[in-house]
Amino acid sequence: MTDGLSPEDNFMRKIEAGEKIEPKDWMPEAYRKNLIRQISQHAHSEVIGMQPEGNWITRAPSLRRKAVLLSKVQDEGGHGLYLYSATETLGISREELISALQDGSAKYASIFNYPSQTWADVGAIGWLVDGAAIVNQVSLQRTSYGPYARAMIRICKEESFHQRQGYEIMLVLAQGSPEQHAMAQDALNRFYWPSLMMFGPHDAESAHSARSMQWKIKRETNDDLRQKFVDQTAQQIEVLGLEHPDKDLRWNEARGHYDFGALDWDEFYNVINGNGYANRQRIEHHVQAHEEGAWVRAAMQAYRDKQRVRQQTTTQVAA
Ligand SMILES: [Fe+2]
Ligand SMILES: [Fe+2]
């Protein structure tokens, strides 16, 4: 019941009551735009994230590893499609979303611009990158926009499997030969800091944080989520028997959390702004795959057209 409330007031009433906003509900234009940016950035990250791991499918060390990695990468493709559909409910087309990715006006998680150099990197990505994604996504299960929240619930189930398979790769390597142990350590050293940066800039410097919190698009701040990840990862590194890459990490009894070292934000912005190792390569690969897939989209369209004509003819005959 709106009870004579203005659309704006009714919108805020729903947000405050913890009700979901659905596609056909009235919403402020800035809320819609903010969501389009956030959900599409998330979708792009899922799809671009297939590349560094896809790179290892042909070189996975056993049939079992290959089968697991193959389905993990397929899951990520599925997450992307699911999230593109959620974005489309906000009144933007798939074509617009894809071209924003390809022309660089839309961003994706900058961690996927780092190369996957060794098999241990595949383990580190599953463990740390999917692990960081889960911390963020678990909190987004309570986001205010219905289609996004529901997508997160489903996606989180698969992400926790991704994280475990990555951790298991790391565990086997860390307990293996000295060379394998060193490879695991090296992957941890390279992926640890970029995964902390996945939570975004400090709250004070985050351009979108305050209003996203007010609208319950975001449910926890970047720094709080980062702290959760630092805490859970510290114990996991111990179990692996690897050295922690952060020499300033200390348990803080009073806070009940780990204190940790400073992040290199210059590197973060440098990679986000297109100067990472693989930025150009990732987009070029996406453009190429998209062009090669044009015939599939054309075939689907032709099939849909044919179905429509058939349906119209049946309806006319029935009438
Ligand atoms: Fe995913
Ligand atoms: Fe994943």
Side-chain angles (χ1 to χ4, degrees), residues 231-278:
D231 292 348
Q232 84 180 30
T233 309
Q235 287 157 7
Q236 292 166 344
I237 293 174
E238 252 179 63
V239 173
L240 290 176
L242 295 176
E243 234 174 82
H244 203 295
D246 183 355
K247 301 297 163 232
D248 296 324
L249 191 91
R250 298 275 178 285
W251 177 251
N252 183 325
E253 193 64 49
R255 290 202 309 125
H257 292 290
Y258 284 93
D259 292 335
F260 56 98
L263 278 68
D264 182 356
W265 291 108
D266 288 344
E267 177 185 319
F268 174 77
Y269 286 111
N270 196 31
V271 175
I272 274 208
N273 292 328
N275 305 317
Y277 174 86

Side-chain angles (χ1 to χ4, degrees), residues 171-219:
L171 198 59
V172 169
L173 291 175
Q175 295 171 347
S177 67
E179 289 81 2
Q180 288 172 321
H181 184 91
M183 192 160 81
Q185 182 69 55
D186 173 57
L188 168 60
N189 294 347
R190 280 180 291 110
F191 278 93
Y192 181 74
W193 294 105
S195 27
L196 292 197
M197 294 182 198
M198 283 176 68
F199 297 97
H202 284 309
D203 298 330
E205 283 129 48
S206 172
H208 308 284
S209 253
R211 198 155 59 169
S212 291
M213 291 290 290
Q214 190 202 351
W215 279 338
K216 296 188 181 171
I217 293 176
K218 281 174 70 161
R219 301 308 310 262

Side-chain angles (χ1 to χ4, degrees), residues 46 53 72-73 75-76 79 112 125-126 129-131 133-134 137 155 158-163 165:
E46 300 280 357
E53 290 180 297
K72 192 233 187 229
V73 172
D75 283 354
E76 306 300 9
H79 297 171
F112 299 121
I125 292 172
V129 178
D130 290 67
I134 293 170
Q137 290 170 6
I155 287 174
E158 293 182 342
E159 293 299 354
S160 69
F161 159 77
H162 297 171
Q163 202 240 2
Q165 65 86 36

